[in-house]
Amino acid sequence: MLISRSDRGLFASWWFTVDRLLLSAVLLLMAAGVLISMAASPPVAERLGLDSFHFFKNQLFYLGFAVIILIATSLLEPLQARRAAFVVFLGSLALMVVALFYGPEIKGAHRWIDIGPVGLQPSELAKPAFIVMAAWFLGENVRRPEMPGLLIAMVLAGAFVGLLVLQPDFGQSALVVITFIAMLLIYGIPWILVFGLSALAGAGVFLAYSMIPHVASRIDRFLNPEKGDTFQVDTATQAFQNGGLFGTGPGGGEAKQILPDSHTDFTFAVVGEEFGFIACMGLIILFAFIVIRILGRAKADPDPFATLAMSGLAVIFGLQAVINMGVNVSLLPAKGMTLPFISYGGSSLMGMAFAMGLVLAFARARMGVAAADSAWRSVTA
Amino acid sequence: MLVSPRKNGSLPGRNRLRLVSFGFIVFFTTISAQLGYLTVWQGRPEKPAAEYSERVPRPDIVDRNGVVLATDVSFFSLYADPRKILDVDEAVELLTATVPDLDAKTLRQKLAQPNRAFVYLKREVSPSERDAIHNLGIPGIGFRAETKRVYPMGRLASHVLGYVDVDSKGIAGIEKFLDDQGALYTASLGEDNSRAMPAVLSIDIRVQHALADELAKGIAKFRAKAGGAIVLDVRSGEVLGLVSLPDFNPNQPDKNFTFDQANRMTSGVFELGSVIKAVSFAMALDYGVADLTSRFDARAPLVIGRAVIHDFQPTRRILSLPEVFTNSSNIGTARMVLGVDAERHQAFLRRVGLMDRLVTELPENAKPILPKRWGRLVQATIAFGHGFAVQPLQGAQVVAGLLNDGNMLPVTFLKRDAADARAMAKRVVKPKTSETLRYLFRLNGLEGSARSANAKAPGYRIGGKTGTAEKVVNGRYDKSRNLTVFTGAFPMENPQYVVMVLLDEPQATPETYGFSTSGWNAVPTGGNIVARIAPLLGVEPILTDDERKAIAKQAQKEGRT
């Protein structure tokens, strides 16, 4: 079916304005995730006594929803997208409070709430929504300096991070804090403050290190491999070594059989073992392309709100990928962080689909944007 | 304010986005470099992938008194790391000379794979072979300590225990059940990593042995093709013994078992006339459509549509309800059940669990075969068990429930304590109905078709119901091939144990005067079983003076004092 340029319908106007290259990259990543889940999840499922393809089937099921969320969100106008983010932010923040009191305790944390047969992690949905909220208030502040946007954004960040700490989920807290600092940087706070805030965050990490035993042991184990149990990281390293340039081939992995979190935090190692260095590079390039492309779009957009929102979403997406892959190749201490669109997990998949949907919505070519662009003005003048 | 945005409303930090992009490029490049270092630069590690250290030890399986029924024994397996083999020809020559049962051709194929890190050459080498191979000093050859599942009791309780494959993975029976609970369950039984807590079964191995022995004798005596027997604890729902013959030896290395060796008591369904008639009586009594004073016309065969229902041994008179039970009258039972409408009939069968698949810990379980349409004819034939096939264990569970004041318990193969059992009980009929049923069972044991059980086990107050079903051969009932069943309980004034015996195609013998119905083979076998297990289970006999004299006389004759 050919779509006419003159068609003003919802789909046609979306098709000609959406960033199709970015959309393709995201869809490609999702497809790769399905393929990788087929290799990475059966050993874990078997160890837990489940059907071999239990996680794979679930992932496929969630992926259906994720694609719908991605497309539906990208159809929105920027203003609608902002309102959607507002609703999602309030809703998921409320659910996080509910999870604190009523959620089941899993591995010592209250992060999930049970909805029928599935568990939902509201913080995964709250992350992209929070970024859009923060971008909104920071952006308003740029346009109308009399408005206390910075203060409101700070309060929102405090509330969100506070809830994450209460769960407790330090990985996510750190991620949100770093992303927020990056947004403040782009918003234009002086360098001295950036360093100050970073020092504050560093102090937070030190506090966590000295107060919370499992954080301390993780960092100790990273700094001193001889000291403690580095089973996960060692096995991941061995997986990469087994893989070599081309990998052992699907199903040929040996280390993946004993890698405890092969379907979530250590998926990348399984890719390394079974598909090899070249496939890993393909993934890295795909992630890098998406991040750089969004940042480029953000820089070109004249609307401060859109710039801040897009760059915040790119930063959180990129950071998650960098931290996850960094842990896998033992450049960073072990930290539970999912690889966007690749690791198993329904909530993370939905949250990331929502995030990318928002990016696509903000990045759609707009009449007003072109008119406001100085380059465009110089052409039409 | 902390910052002073430019007047024109543009973002002051916009150009810092370049820095962010640059940062990400640095991150991604660093990861790529490390990735290349790990995958390409370092090459494959010398060690084979880490030993499968997460392997959970299999727990021992013990009977209710702690007798070991299954345990792990360690042994060594021979493996090779083909990457380290220097001279394949030499290795093949040395190995085949030392271990003659290794095939040179396959061995060569296995060793000539320079990219493999691990390949099994032989599972379970003997200690002397191990020493000899070790002394050959071939590089790249090693031994791996493994465990093997051993069943010290051999064939005994093999259908309950099941077995494991060569990788210690449960394939059948309780072994598979343990695996299906997941590694977490199996590990939860473990005290530490080396030795796991045993899984305790409800089986009493002494009862199991008596059961298997007497059943085998019965099968031999009546030249039956196969048979099965169950002993159930009425108050807890525990299975104390379950035998299905022919059985198998789980220690057999190839596990190449035939269909005939399957567990008939759970993975097969049969028309259990005896059980279903008892259920029909319970239903009619419980719904109040019949009581002990009811009478049923058995003077002529019952005609429904074009079908005619006969009695096996026609009485040709009007029978009271106890007479219908003791004479096992099909006509009487059918007339009684026709007083209940089809919907309530089905509801009752569903309530006692006969309409659904019985699921226990044993993974081998069969779905009942039920009639598709419920007309009056179907109701009448189902009343005495025609066209309604269930697992024998399912039948034993129902009878135990009906006799236990109507409190039905789900049967189990794991040890269960009394408090748990009480909490699980489900009331299926009124206590009054249960009492009447106990009376009918005992009456049948004294005067009816189950007399010979008490003759074999004097003093143990057995009550029971017999059933003889014609087997279905090629879709038709074959009059010459019977399946005989005895479902009994003892001591009848307060039933503690249910015994079920099933014989497949027993033959008439001179001793049985040419009969091959249940009362002549399954019932005496059941009596013999009770005589052996009642003393083990602590049930004391109450003997009449006549019985006492008879026993004394018998003892004198055999030269005992």
Side-chain angles (χ1 to χ4, degrees):
Chain A
M1 187 189 71
L2 271 174
I3 306 163
S4 165
R5 284 266 177 195
S6 59
D7 188 342
R8 286 280 147 241
L10 182 68
F11 182 74
S13 55
W14 172 78
W15 179 247
F16 289 115
T17 53
V18 78
D19 186 342
R20 289 191 291 275
L21 211 54
L22 190 57
L23 179 66
S24 313
V26 171
L27 289 176
L28 195 63
L29 204 55
M30 283 178 161
V34 171
L35 207 71
I36 290 162
S37 167
M38 229 180 326
S41 69
V44 181
E46 279 160 25
R47 245 176 281 140
L48 295 175
L50 300 166
D51 165 31
S52 294
F53 286 101
H54 170 84
F55 291 122
F56 170 66
K57 285 176 189 160
N58 279 3
Q59 185 78 347
L60 211 55
F61 174 74
Y62 295 136
L63 190 75
F65 279 103
V67 172
I68 294 171
I69 291 177
L70 177 74
I71 305 291
T73 315
S74 71
L75 281 168
L76 300 175
E77 293 294 324
L79 191 65
Q80 294 171 322
R82 194 163 74 192
R83 285 177 186 156
F86 180 68
V87 172
V88 170
F89 184 62
L90 286 189
S92 44
L93 227 53
L95 287 178
M96 281 171 74
V97 175
V98 171
L100 272 186
F101 291 101
Y102 302 104
E105 185 174 326
I106 299 173
K107 294 181 191 166
H110 295 273
R111 293 175 198 170
W112 286 268
I113 50 171
D114 288 326
I115 305 171
V118 292
L120 179 78
Q121 202 180 342
S123 57
E124 291 289 346
L125 287 171
K127 280 189 294 186
F130 161 72
I131 289 166
V132 174
M133 285 299 96
W136 179 20
F137 289 110
L138 293 178
E140 282 302 301
N141 201 9
V142 172
R143 271 209 303 220
R144 289 184 290 167
E146 70 279 7
M147 199 187 147
L150 182 62
L151 196 68
I152 298 174
M154 290 275 201
V155 169
L156 289 182
F160 185 37
V161 173
L163 277 175
L164 284 173
V165 169
L166 284 178
Q167 283 184 345
D169 190 340
F170 293 100
Q172 301 275 29
S173 316
L175 187 70
V176 171
V177 169
I178 298 174
T179 308
F180 188 62
I181 292 176
M183 287 172 76
L184 289 180
L185 182 72
I186 294 154
Y187 163 75
I189 60 169
W191 277 106
I192 181 90
L193 268 175
V194 175
F195 289 126
L197 279 174
S198 303
L200 214 63
V205 170
F206 181 76
L207 209 66
Y209 175 84
S210 53
M211 306 277 280
I212 297 141
H214 89 260
V215 176
S217 97
R218 285 225 182 125
I219 296 172
D220 283 344
R221 268 185 259 157
F222 178 70
L223 297 176
N224 274 328
E226 293 81 28
K227 204 172 145 193
D229 173 29
T230 54
F231 180 72
Q232 290 246 48
V233 176
D234 287 349
T235 317
T237 305
Q238 196 165 26
F240 284 114
Q241 291 170 345
N242 282 342
L245 200 55
F246 298 107
T248 57
E254 287 165 358
K256 76 163 184 181
Q257 300 289 346
I258 54 170
L259 200 53
D261 284 331
S262 67
H263 65 315
T264 53
D265 298 349
F266 284 87
T267 316
F268 193 57
V270 178
V271 180
E273 182 171 35
E274 298 210 335
F275 302 99
F277 173 73
I278 295 175
C280 284
M281 279 314 295
L283 267 187
I284 293 179
I285 290 170
L286 207 51
F287 277 115
F289 170 78
I290 292 174
V291 173
I292 303 299
R293 174 97 183 167
I294 300 174
L295 289 175
R297 281 286 189 162
K299 191 166 181 303
D301 202 307
D303 180 6
F305 159 65
T307 300
L308 284 166
M310 279 194 275
S311 41
L313 291 167
V315 166
I316 202 160
F317 173 85
L319 273 182
Q320 261 189 256
V322 165
I323 293 174
N324 177 285
M325 295 195 281
V327 169
N328 272 267
V329 297
S330 49
L331 282 173
L332 293 172
K335 175 71 222 95
M337 187 72 64
T338 55
L339 193 54
F341 295 118
I342 305 289
S343 294
Y344 173 77
S347 302
S348 139
L349 195 57
M350 310 269 181
M352 274 303 159
F354 183 50
M356 288 299 117
L358 289 170
V359 168
L360 287 169
F362 296 135
R364 278 170 68 178
R366 287 187 298 274
M367 214 41 222
V369 172
D373 190 354
S374 54
W376 175 258
R377 272 203 300 272
S378 66
V379 171
T380 50
Chain B
M1 233 28 248
L2 290 168
V3 272
S4 49
R6 291 176 204 165
K7 286 283 174 303
N8 63 3
S10 79
L11 209 54
R14 184 179 298 279
N15 286 328
R16 290 177 182 170
L17 269 168
R18 276 204 200 113
L19 193 73
V20 176
S21 298
F22 177 73
F24 271 110
I25 289 170
V26 170
F27 289 150
F28 281 118
T29 313
T30 315
I31 289 169
S32 304
Q34 170 80 353
L35 187 71
Y37 168 72
L38 284 181
T39 52
V40 185
W41 190 264
Q42 290 201 331
R44 274 186 82 107
E46 276 298 294
K47 273 194 303 181
E51 292 277 321
Y52 193 60
S53 55
E54 286 217 342
R55 187 166 169 151
V56 184
R58 280 200 89 72
D60 284 358
I61 301 177
V62 299
D63 88 337
R64 62 186 304 114
N65 300 315
V67 179
V68 174
L69 305 181
T71 187
D72 276 351
V73 168
S74 51
F75 67 92
F76 287 93
S77 282
L78 178 65
Y79 76 87
D81 180 352
R83 296 172 305 175
K84 290 187 193 154
I85 303 269
L86 300 173
D87 184 342
V88 174
D89 292 320
E90 186 201 14
V92 170
E93 210 166 288
L94 286 171
L95 281 172
T96 47
T98 318
V99 189
D101 55 344
L102 279 176
D103 179 44
K105 203 174 145 211
T106 50
L107 192 59
R108 191 182 305 277
Q109 270 172 5
K110 282 180 180 172
L111 295 184
Q113 306 175 88
N115 290 321
R116 293 285 296 273
F118 183 90
V119 56
Y120 271 120
L121 300 182
K122 192 184 178 208
R123 306 294 282 262
E124 285 183 55
V125 292
S126 67
S128 60
E129 277 175 335
R130 178 170 175 247
D131 289 346
I133 297 167
H134 183 77
N135 289 338
L136 294 176
I138 308 170
I141 297 281
F143 299 93
R144 181 181 257 200
E146 291 186 305
T147 57
K148 177 188 172 187
R149 201 66 167 159
V150 169
Y151 303 89
M153 294 290 166
R155 295 173 168 273
L156 211 51
S158 51
H159 283 117
V160 177
L161 293 169
Y163 48 90
V164 298
D165 67 5
V166 70
D167 291 315
S168 270
K169 192 164 174 253
I171 298 293
I174 288 290
E175 295 277 29
K176 181 160 195 312
F177 165 77
L178 290 176
D179 279 29
D180 289 347
Q181 299 307 296
L184 293 175
Y185 175 82
T186 324
S188 75
L189 294 169
E191 255 176 339
D192 58 349
N193 232 24
S194 60
R195 202 76 193 158
M197 286 270 281
V200 184
L201 300 191
S202 61
I203 299 289
D204 183 330
I205 203 69
R206 303 167 306 165
V207 171
Q208 178 77 18
H209 174 252
L211 205 58
D213 191 39
E214 290 300 333
L215 182 68
K217 280 184 197 161
I219 288 173
K221 188 167 177 189
F222 303 107
R223 301 198 307 276
K225 270 174 56 184
I230 295 170
V231 177
L232 213 58
D233 186 323
V234 171
R235 276 126 180 217
S236 66
E238 291 171 290
V239 180
L240 297 181
L242 182 145
V243 182
S244 171
L245 294 175
D247 54 5
F248 59 88
N249 187 344
N251 293 314
Q252 188 178 316
D254 63 3
K255 319 278 190 223
N256 187 11
F257 304 127
T258 62
F259 179 68
D260 199 37
Q261 287 167 303
N263 183 358
R264 278 155 221 272
M265 305 314 265
T266 64
S267 64
V269 292
F270 299 94
E271 293 190 352
L272 304 170
S274 64
V275 171
I276 306 300
K277 261 186 195 160
V279 170
S280 297
F281 273 80
M283 174 179 71
L285 291 166
D286 208 53
Y287 281 152
V289 299
D291 57 37
L292 282 176
T293 60
S294 303
R295 294 180 168 275
F296 301 96
D297 184 355
R299 284 175 299 186
L302 176 62
V303 180
I304 299 175
R306 276 187 294 172
V308 185
I309 292 170
H310 296 277
D311 272 350
F312 186 72
Q313 287 161 308
T315 46
R316 310 234 180 274
R317 60 189 174 88
I318 292 179
L319 301 173
S320 68
L321 184 132
E323 284 174 327
V324 172
F325 194 85
T326 52
N327 285 307
S328 210
S329 165
N330 292 344
I331 302 169
T333 316
R335 282 192 191 281
M336 181 179 69
V337 165
L338 288 176
V340 179
D341 61 73
E343 239 159 67
R344 294 208 304 163
H345 191 178
Q346 287 183 62
F348 187 83
L349 293 176
R350 186 162 290 120
R351 196 196 312 166
V352 296
L354 289 177
M355 303 279 271
D356 307 302
R357 183 195 291 262
L358 169 69
V359 179
T360 62
E361 292 84 5
L362 295 196
E364 301 85 11
N365 53 53
K367 218 172 87 181
I369 298 176
L370 307 171
K372 291 194 180 64
R373 276 184 292 275
W374 285 74
R376 280 174 63 76
L377 178 62
V378 168
Q379 257 193 292
T381 58
I382 280 185
F384 50 88
H386 236 61
F388 192 90
V390 295
Q391 296 173 31
L393 182 61
Q394 203 166 2
Q397 169 179 294
V398 172
V399 170
L402 292 178
L403 297 179
N404 186 29
D405 274 341
N407 291 320
M408 200 169 97
L409 287 151
V411 290
T412 180
F413 288 89
L414 298 179
K415 197 171 181 176
R416 181 186 276 168
D417 63 49
D420 284 352
R422 272 195 297 279
M424 266 180 239
K426 179 186 148 199
R427 159 97 3 124
V428 287
V429 292
K430 301 181 192 92
K432 181 84 179 66
T433 307
S434 177
E435 199 187 317
T436 311
L437 215 58
R438 287 202 291 270
Y439 163 73
L440 292 172
F441 264 64
R442 179 59 177 153
L443 187 70
N444 199 35
L446 289 173
E447 300 170 0
S449 53
R451 280 188 312 276
S452 52
N454 279 304
K456 295 282 182 188
Y460 288 117
R461 292 97 75 204
I462 306 173
K465 183 79 196 85
T466 59
T468 304
E470 288 159 6
K471 279 179 70 173
V472 177
V473 178
N474 298 328
R476 298 186 148 273
Y477 284 103
D478 184 336
K479 281 197 188 317
S480 63
R481 298 181 196 203
N482 286 342
L483 184 93
T484 63
V485 187
F486 168 62
T487 314
F490 71 96
M492 213 51 227
E493 72 279 2
N494 182 12
Q496 291 181 30
Y497 302 101
V498 160
V499 176
M500 179 184 261
V501 178
L502 182 144
L503 292 174
D504 190 359
E505 291 187 32
Q507 307 296 313
T509 66
E511 215 181 313
T512 66
Y513 308 101
F515 289 107
S516 64
T517 50
S518 172
W520 294 98
N521 44 51
V523 176
T525 307
N528 286 335
I529 289 171
V530 173
R532 294 248 329 246
I533 66 170
L536 294 173
L537 296 170
V539 177
E540 288 183 20
I542 300 173
L543 296 166
T544 61
D545 284 342
D546 288 345
E547 284 168 338
R548 237 183 272 278
K549 277 175 197 153
I551 290 171
K553 207 184 237 173
Q554 182 75 18
Q556 221 164 27
K557 211 165 74 183
E558 289 170 9
R560 287 184 280 147
T561 48

